[in-house]
Amino acid sequence: MRVDHVSYAAEIDGLKATAQRLAKRLGVTPVDGGIHPRFGTRNIILPLADRRFVEVVEVLDHPASDKAPFGQAVRARSEVGGGWLGWVVSVEDLSEAEKRLGREAAVGSRRRPDGVELKWRQLGVKGLIADPQLPFYIQWDDESPHPSGGANSNVTISGLQIAGDPDRVCEWLGLPADQTSTVIDFTFVAPHGTPGLLAVTFDTPKGPVTI
């Protein structure tokens, strides 16, 4: 289990403007990720080093976005101005998490503008909606490329600041958050306040950047 990516809901000026603004701060080149037909969303990827990325995502005016938990989560975050939606951990096999949490994973896919299709299964978005400090799980299809693939970037995620309770996150993951990465610093604040991912710190060639 490892931190795979962080998701950022588009702000009031839309997906492209939000992604460009974040990409400029980090010094990376944004990549059009395409549409999630099952979730009613679309994204732009900011590829990072260490097989990680930032997903900037917006909801579409599509019935799927009203039914799919991920579409619901993106819409709710964007409607209050956008910002960090959550963090995501990848696993090689979701069956253990499905059994422990008593839930079935949802199938996801998207086709990039270059025609390449990405496929995965994800679990726990309803948990994220109910308690935004919690990450959701993703298992990439064995034949699917990772969104960070081919990235010419040495920008890395160095820290996550989370409003919440580390014991609750540990219960959800089955292990402490800091065991999902040896290079990311996890800081938990305001355990009795509104939970969620508050900030992400990146190491860039120009120094640390916190968003």
Side-chain angles (χ1 to χ4, degrees), residues 58-129:
E58 80 173 355
V59 71
L60 300 172
D61 184 13
H62 189 280
S65 66
D66 296 324
K67 298 178 181 178
F70 187 70
Q72 295 170 8
V74 175
R75 185 187 301 280
R77 190 70 179 95
S78 288
E79 285 180 347
V80 295
W84 290 116
L85 178 66
W87 56 296
V88 186
V89 295
S90 64
V91 294
E92 294 183 357
D93 184 0
L94 270 174
S95 59
E96 187 277 332
E98 286 179 310
K99 185 181 301 182
R100 182 163 47 82
L101 299 178
R103 310 180 186 191
E104 288 189 4
V107 175
S109 67
R110 62 180 170 86
R111 190 176 297 276
R112 299 189 315 211
D114 63 5
V116 174
E117 186 176 27
L118 281 68
K119 296 181 179 180
W120 66 90
R121 297 169 68 231
Q122 63 187 48
L123 174 71
V125 176
K126 288 183 179 179
L128 165 73
I129 293 174

Side-chain angles (χ1 to χ4, degrees), residues 25-26 158 201-210:
R25 291 191 64 183
L26 298 179
S158 60
T201 299
F202 302 85
D203 276 342
T204 79
K206 295 183 178 180
V209 173
T210 298

